Amino acid sequence: MDRRHKIYNWLRDNTFKVDITIMVAVFLLTGPVYLIADRPGYFLLSTAMVVPLAWRRTEPVRAAAVIVLACLVQWSLGLEPLAGLVAVPIIIYAVAAYGPAWASRTVLGLGLVGGVMLTSRNFSGTAETGVLGMTISAVYTVLIWMLVLFSWTLGDLTRIRRLQLQTLADRARRLETEQQQERSLAAADERAHIAREMHDIVAHSLSVIITQADGGRYAAAVEPEAATRALSTIAATGRTSLAEMRRLLGVLRSDDPATTRPLPGLDDLDELFLGLRATGLRLRFSKQGQPRRTLPAGAELTAYRVFQEGLTNVLKHAGPDAEARASLTWTARGLELEIHDDGRGAAADAPESPGNGLRGMAERVTLYDGTLAAGPAPGGGFHVSAFIPYTEA
């Protein structure tokens, strides 16, 4: 099978060499006989019919024109049929298979007319021989027409198959291009996902570290133990953030296997709240209801990031002695999240509270057909609420 494929591929990629070989073979069968019979004119005319076969696929229209001209010269001179006429069905096939549509129809018509012209010389002047001559000429004409139609039909079928193969090849190239584009889009989406994750990690971690550093600096002179606790929190937060950043960036390194540890979800909220309370944030958390079905891992990560971003904003903007309340409620439609603080909210001295972090949260929630609302609470402070519906099958 491999050998046949190699032969087929070589024949397909070397059309001119193949056509020259066929032309030489036909020439050796039709030309030398006239040299032996000492008929140089016949030899030249037969050669003029055969030699253009070397260009039957590369230049089918021009090759057909030369052969048609040679046939007309033979007919006009009243010569007997030449051996080179074997090139006629071959060129009809070639033009039908590889030439333009108008040329294909033209050679079909010329072939049918040429059959009549070739046999018309068999008519005789007497009645008896005239009837016999007409009968013989009709039979010859039908046979020639059958040969012409067979050659043209075979060439037309070859054209159809060639166009189908070309269509399949073009479709394969388009599919390959589309797959490449899909891979590029997937890579871009993954980079955007990593960028969002990096923003959440860096924003949360740096906020905790800055808050603890400021608190530890003020407490160092009065309560050294508080400064020590603040430094411990800074170190733990930095190590955790560094590990998570390495895990995210690991997917960008093809030579280093990335860890398979999953991204945080709802089961990791207790650890998140514990770290925030360690920074001095007063936080109350309540959980109500039971899930009707499991949320996708991406939706759970989104819920985790909403709590992380919202409570980090409390830590950054609510001011000292602020208290935060967070709740997680499972309903019949999905998951409701709320974060409320009694601090400064979106006051003038906290201009960054509705910044990029909240927009990022809104984008995440929207990806799962959810909604998010954030703004100053009526009684003071700042309020964030989000809803993530179940993903129905």
Side-chain angles (χ1 to χ4, degrees):
M1 183 65 68
D2 293 339
R3 181 177 297 177
R4 281 185 292 177
H5 284 167
K6 290 180 180 179
I7 294 175
Y8 172 78
N9 291 333
W10 187 89
L11 293 176
R12 183 189 60 188
D13 298 335
N14 298 272
T15 57
F16 188 65
K17 294 180 180 179
V18 174
D19 291 342
I20 287 182
T21 303
I22 294 175
M23 182 271 293
V24 171
V26 174
F27 173 77
L28 293 177
L29 291 175
T30 60
V33 64
Y34 294 113
L35 291 179
I36 296 173
D38 194 20
R39 291 184 173 182
Y42 283 59
F43 171 78
L44 292 176
L45 198 56
S46 181
T47 301
M49 296 178 183
V50 173
V51 171
L53 292 179
W55 293 272
R56 67 186 185 93
R57 280 189 283 186
T58 55
E59 296 288 345
V61 176
R62 295 180 181 178
V66 174
I67 294 176
V68 169
L69 180 61
C71 291
L72 289 175
V73 171
Q74 175 202 336
W75 183 83
S76 63
L77 296 177
L79 302 179
E80 63 185 45
L82 301 176
L85 287 175
V86 71
V88 172
I90 298 176
I91 199 63
I92 290 176
Y93 164 83
V95 175
Y98 306 105
W102 66 267
S104 174
R105 294 190 295 267
T106 301
V107 295
L108 175 60
L110 291 176
L112 297 176
V113 173
V116 176
M117 295 172 62
L118 183 64
T119 57
S120 63
R121 295 185 181 278
N122 291 329
F123 288 106
S124 176
T126 63
E128 182 180 355
T129 57
V131 173
L132 180 60
M134 289 180 61
T135 303
I136 296 175
S137 297
V139 173
Y140 284 163
T141 301
V142 171
L143 291 177
I144 293 174
W145 282 0
M146 291 177 61
L147 180 60
V148 169
L149 289 172
F150 175 78
S151 301
W152 184 86
T153 302
L154 188 61
D156 195 59
L157 291 176
T158 302
R159 172 201 295 275
I160 294 174
R161 182 176 179 274
R162 181 171 57 85
L163 293 178
Q164 288 176 342
L165 292 177
Q166 184 177 354
T167 301
L168 291 176
D170 292 340
R171 183 180 301 174
R173 284 193 294 269
R174 287 197 302 269
L175 289 176
E176 184 178 357
T177 302
E178 291 175 359
Q179 290 175 356
Q180 180 63 37
Q181 292 175 348
E182 289 177 357
R183 288 193 292 268
S184 299
L185 291 175
D189 182 70
E190 181 64 20
R191 287 193 293 268
H193 170 74
I194 292 175
R196 289 194 297 268
E197 293 300 316
M198 292 293 293
H199 167 268
D200 293 337
I201 294 169
V202 173
H204 169 73
S205 303
L206 290 181
S207 296
V208 172
I209 290 173
I210 292 171
T211 301
Q212 290 298 302
D214 289 340
R217 183 180 59 189
Y218 293 133
V222 179
E223 189 178 354
E225 294 182 358
T228 302
R229 289 195 301 270
L231 291 175
S232 299
T233 302
I234 290 173
T237 302
R239 282 192 294 268
T240 302
S241 301
L242 181 61
E244 193 166 359
M245 288 170 63
R246 283 176 175 172
R247 177 168 52 83
L248 285 173
L249 295 177
V251 299
L252 301 178
R253 300 174 181 173
S254 58
D255 54 341
D256 295 334
T259 178
T260 57
R261 178 179 179 272
L263 291 171
L266 296 179
D267 294 336
D268 300 296
L269 287 177
D270 291 339
E271 183 178 352
L272 173 66
F273 296 154
L274 183 63
L276 289 169
R277 290 190 180 103
T279 65
L281 176 66
R282 292 187 296 162
L283 172 63
R284 289 185 295 168
F285 175 69
S286 62
K287 181 178 180 181
Q288 299 178 1
Q290 294 295 328
R292 181 166 59 86
R293 62 188 303 169
T294 303
L295 288 178
E300 287 201 8
L301 173 62
T302 297
Y304 179 92
R305 295 305 188 197
V306 168
F307 278 122
Q308 184 184 53
E309 183 70 27
L311 293 174
T312 300
N313 284 340
V314 174
L315 193 65
K316 290 194 296 184
H317 305 301
D321 300 327
E323 181 179 359
R325 299 191 305 272
S327 65
L328 183 152
T329 305
W330 292 100
T331 67
R333 296 176 51 243
L335 178 62
E336 292 183 354
L337 312 173
E338 290 191 359
I339 303 170
H340 180 83
D341 69 77
D342 57 2
R344 295 178 302 191
D349 56 348
E352 298 178 357
S353 55
N356 293 328
L358 293 179
R359 284 193 292 270
M361 281 195 295
E363 291 177 358
R364 285 177 176 273
V365 173
T366 303
L367 288 176
Y368 294 94
D369 299 325
T371 58
L372 183 137
F382 201 80
H383 183 80
V384 177
S385 62
F387 173 74
I388 301 175
Y390 291 112
T391 301
E392 303 295 345

